[in-house]
Amino acid sequence: MLILSIVPTMLFYFLGWKWLAIPWVPVALLGTATAFISGFKNTQTYNRSWEARQIYGAIINNSRSFGILVKDFIRTDDKVKESALHQQIIYRHFAWLTVLRFQLRETKSWEHIKTKSYNKEYLQYYNVPEWETKVEDELKLFLSDNELQYVLSTKNRATQIIALQSAQLRKLNEEGKISDYNYTALENQFKELYDQQGKCERIKNFPYPRQFSSINLYFTNALCFLLPLGFLGEFSKMTEKFGDNIIWLTVPFSVLLGWVFLVLELIGESTENPFEGNANDIPITQISRNIEIDLREMLGEKELPPAIQPVNNIVM
């Protein structure tokens, strides 16, 4: 923006290219249109980000409900086997949370985190855990070897983990370890988790419409190009009263106003994809760990994993 404003100002001042000064009216009209389209884009991308946070809020609540229902609804005469059964089902839920966040952090072609230079530069200030570890290494902690191999062989692993949960509950119901009413209540929890997974997948797999994203970028770039020319037109009218040097005010005013619109464009871009690994992402790693801590405490475990801490005030 600085170069865009300095070059025409120098040409106007030193070479006398007066034709570079244009009327302010078309610049103002373009600015008004850009403000509208930027406001629309930022509203829509904020809605995508906020919906993603609401979905993960629902996952927190459903996970806690699922944990307490598993503990209270699944009963056997042997308390040791009962505890092992509770642990197996709840650990499988941890596997679902793990696979879901790994799936959501996969990079899509329309996401900006690994293509824009400023995003790649900013990545040095924080870590994305899903990019630094392998999902199979984390799943080993929660699944048996047979289940691990089966889950890794499937395309939508999160979906198949819940299917495994449902199959085990059906077996427990047939064995009389869960009453029909309780079995229905637990199955409803799986339906809720499927709904929340599907909503996350919709946001992840359906980008903010390219036509709206592109038009905002074109408008902003055109405005940034025309702003110095418009300011030249305005300040050139004041030379008789304030002298020729007032033309140089074109530079700071153009940089300031252009910066406002460019920042609005970047804010919208950074909230388009709330699971891409951006510093402004929904902190799904931290949320999943907090759920794990809550459910482990329900199981009576004392050795709990540490909560995810922010790195440079960024939490993933």
Side-chain angles (χ1 to χ4, degrees):
M1 197 62 224
L2 187 61
I3 295 174
L4 272 179
S5 56
I6 285 179
V7 170
T9 306
M10 291 179 68
L11 293 173
F12 184 94
Y13 186 84
F14 291 112
L15 301 181
W17 290 14
K18 306 298 182 185
W19 54 270
L20 285 174
I22 64 173
W24 184 252
V25 172
V27 181
L29 288 174
L30 180 60
T32 303
T34 306
F36 274 115
I37 198 71
S38 290
F40 175 79
K41 177 182 179 180
N42 285 7
T43 300
Q44 299 308 314
T45 56
Y46 173 81
N47 287 341
R48 283 169 64 86
S49 186
W50 180 235
E51 184 187 2
R53 181 61 187 87
Q54 287 179 310
I55 293 167
Y56 255 83
I59 288 175
I60 294 171
N61 296 337
N62 281 111
S63 295
R64 289 170 178 162
S65 300
F66 177 68
I68 204 69
L69 292 179
V70 167
K71 276 204 68 181
D72 292 346
F73 283 0
I74 299 176
R75 303 170 189 167
T76 66
D77 294 333
D78 187 332
K79 296 302 176 188
V80 175
K81 289 184 178 178
E82 182 180 287
S83 296
L85 202 53
H86 293 165
Q87 186 191 54
Q88 182 186 22
I89 295 172
I90 289 178
Y91 271 37
R92 201 181 284 125
H93 184 67
F94 297 157
W96 177 76
L97 290 168
T98 302
V99 166
L100 182 60
R101 62 183 171 84
F102 269 82
Q103 290 180 179
L104 294 176
R105 286 267 164 77
E106 291 176 356
T107 302
K108 300 292 184 181
S109 60
W110 55 82
E111 294 176 343
H112 312 291
I113 187 63
K114 292 183 178 177
T115 56
K116 303 286 186 178
S117 58
Y118 42 84
N119 283 335
K120 288 192 283 188
E121 183 180 348
Y122 203 66
L123 272 173
Q124 65 181 307
Y125 298 108
Y126 64 97
N127 300 317
V128 181
E130 290 76 20
W131 296 350
E132 298 179 351
T133 58
K134 294 181 178 179
V135 64
E136 49 266 38
D137 291 338
E138 296 207 23
L139 289 180
K140 285 177 185 174
L141 304 173
F142 307 128
L143 296 176
S144 66
D145 289 341
N146 289 338
E147 288 182 345
L148 176 62
Q149 294 306 316
Y150 168 70
V151 169
L152 291 178
S153 69
T154 59
K155 291 183 178 178
N156 192 326
R157 295 165 179 170
T159 298
Q160 300 312 319
I161 288 175
I162 291 183
L164 285 175
Q165 295 276 53
S166 180
Q168 183 173 20
L169 288 192
R170 178 180 176 178
K171 184 179 177 184
L172 292 173
N173 174 252
E174 291 171 348
E175 292 172 351
K177 294 174 182 173
I178 309 176
S179 67
D180 288 343
Y181 179 82
N182 293 346
Y183 172 63
T184 303
L186 282 164
E187 285 290 329
N188 281 334
Q189 290 296 312
F190 294 144
K191 175 186 173 299
E192 293 296 323
L193 293 174
Y194 266 147
D195 284 346
Q196 288 138 18
Q197 178 188 328
K199 291 175 181 176
C200 287
E201 290 170 343
R202 171 173 50 79
I203 293 175
K204 179 69 180 178
N205 297 324
F206 186 76
Y208 179 68
R210 295 296 86 190
Q211 63 271 34
F212 291 110
S213 180
S214 300
I215 197 68
N216 188 61
L217 184 63
Y218 298 152
F219 276 32
T220 302
N221 288 343
L223 179 65
C224 289
F225 178 77
L226 292 178
L227 268 177
L229 309 185
F231 276 121
L232 281 176
E234 289 302 300
F235 288 120
S236 64
K237 298 175 185 174
M238 304 179 187
T239 54
E240 290 186 6
K241 185 175 181 182
F242 297 104
D244 291 343
N245 287 336
I246 197 169
I247 286 297
W248 292 101
L249 285 179
T250 295
V251 176
F253 278 91
S254 299
V255 169
L256 178 63
L257 200 54
W259 174 82
V260 169
F261 281 94
L262 288 171
V263 166
L264 284 174
E265 161 65 18
L266 290 179
I267 289 173
E269 181 186 285
S270 67
T271 48
E272 274 183 37
N273 305 300
F275 300 122
E276 66 176 339
N278 191 299
N280 296 303
D281 267 19
I282 304 303
I284 58 177
T285 310
Q286 184 200 46
I287 291 173
S288 299
R289 176 62 62 82
N290 290 343
I291 293 171
E292 182 182 343
I293 292 171
D294 285 348
L295 297 191
R296 282 181 183 272
E297 284 188 317
M298 284 185 192
L299 290 171
E301 295 184 10
K302 300 300 181 185
E303 295 184 4
L304 303 176
I308 303 291
Q309 298 299 322
V311 176
N312 291 321
N313 295 321
I314 300 169
V315 63
M316 299 304 293

